[in-house]
């Protein structure tokens, strides 16, 4: 067992980039509930201890369910865009950029996309062809994990969850009021 630990420590010491990873993920400003709702999707990099110097990738979405309204490049940790975020085939966005001096922070925003829901159902915004390079003078590739976004959108005409809750509370209040009025008439 001691030999195994020694061998693993030696491999890690000889190859310092072993075990380094990064994560591309998304955040949304609110959960869209119905067709016509608009939302902002932010793309974030989590360094996970890696000193990242360059990034590239692609975001893909179903163009029959989502309409891209706007691309926002700021705020961004990208200091120099090699390829500015650009829409390809109405359902994907390519991007590529440098982080001069490297990126060692816990997380940072790359860009934002504003979407409109076109159709109900399950939809996925996913990453593809992603690459991250270390700030080590060699451009060593880093293991890059992606966290795709999956949304389930309904098209209820009743409105939002808050409106439905309000309607339920009004109905319950009316039932209680009716019950107490009926009880009062019976006791007289």
């Amino acid at each position: 067992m001691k030999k195994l630990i020694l061998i693993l420590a030696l491999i890690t010491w000889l190859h310092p980039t072993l075990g380094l990873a990064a994560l591309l993920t998304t955040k949304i400003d609110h959960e869209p509930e119905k067709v016509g709702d608009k939302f902002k999707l932010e793309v974030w990099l989590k360094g996970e201890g890696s000193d990242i110097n360059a990034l590239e990738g692609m975001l893909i979405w179903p163009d029959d369910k989502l309409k891209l309204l706007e691309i926002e490049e700021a705020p961004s940790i990208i200091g120099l865009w090699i390829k500015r975020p650009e829409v390809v085939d109405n359902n994907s966005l390519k991007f590529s950029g440098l982080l001069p001096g490297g990126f060692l922070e816990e997380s940072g925003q790359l860009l934002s996309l504003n979407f409109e829901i076109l159709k109900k159902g399950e939809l996925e915004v996913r990453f593809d062809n992603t690459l991250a390079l270390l700030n080590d003078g060699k451009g060593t590739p880093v293991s890059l994990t992606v966290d795709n976004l999956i949304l389930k959108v309904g098209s209820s005409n009743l409105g939002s969850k808050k409106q439905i809750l309000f309607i339920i509370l009004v109905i319950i209040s009316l039932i209680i009021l009716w019950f107490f009025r009926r009880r009062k008439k019976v006791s007289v």
Side-chain angles (χ1 to χ4, degrees):
M1 182 66 168
K2 287 182 180 180
K3 286 183 182 180
L4 179 61
I5 293 172
L6 182 62
I7 291 171
L8 289 175
L10 185 60
I11 290 172
T12 303
W13 180 71
L14 290 174
H15 196 290
T17 62
L18 187 66
L20 293 178
L23 171 69
L24 275 177
T25 188
T26 59
K27 294 180 183 178
I28 55 175
D29 62 348
H30 70 280
E31 191 88 20
E33 298 175 352
K34 61 187 183 310
V35 172
D37 278 0
K38 297 176 179 148
F39 69 97
K40 179 181 282 194
L41 179 138
E42 298 173 348
V43 179
W44 286 76
L45 171 69
K46 294 188 177 186
E48 309 286 327
S50 301
D51 187 6
I52 307 292
N53 188 38
L55 262 176
E56 74 175 20
M58 178 183 265
L59 274 172
I60 301 172
W61 60 87
D63 61 346
D64 64 326
K65 294 182 181 178
L66 281 178
K67 178 182 177 185
L68 179 64
L69 302 174
E70 181 182 19
I71 302 167
E72 297 177 18
E73 296 176 13
S76 179
I77 59 171
I78 300 291
L80 177 65
W81 289 104
I82 296 170
K83 181 171 186 68
R84 291 193 108 61
E86 176 185 23
V87 177
V88 181
D89 298 329
N90 291 326
N91 75 330
S92 58
L93 178 112
K94 287 185 178 182
F95 62 90
S96 178
L98 298 175
L99 297 93
F103 179 75
L104 271 169
E105 304 295 320
E106 185 178 321
S107 65
Q109 185 176 337
L110 301 176
L111 56 99
S112 297
L113 305 171
N114 292 310
F115 284 106
E116 180 180 355
I117 302 293
L118 298 176
K119 189 176 176 184
K120 69 178 181 175
E122 185 172 290
L123 57 95
E124 179 180 29
V125 179
R126 66 181 172 85
F127 291 98
D128 196 21
N129 297 324
T130 58
L131 175 67
L133 303 176
L134 279 178
N135 185 33
D136 63 356
K138 301 180 230 171
T140 306
V142 177
S143 175
L144 188 59
T145 305
V146 296
D147 185 17
N148 298 325
L149 174 71
I150 297 176
L151 292 173
K152 294 182 182 177
V153 179
S155 63
S156 171
N157 291 330
L158 291 175
S160 71
K161 292 177 184 176
K162 289 179 182 177
Q163 290 171 328
I164 293 170
L165 182 60
F166 177 75
I167 292 169
I168 291 170
L169 289 173
V170 168
I171 292 170
I172 290 172
S173 299
L174 290 172
I175 291 171
I176 292 171
L177 183 63
W178 173 80
F179 176 75
F180 281 115
R181 284 191 175 179
R182 185 167 184 244
R183 191 170 178 196
K184 191 175 182 180
K185 287 181 182 181
V186 172
S187 65
V188 174

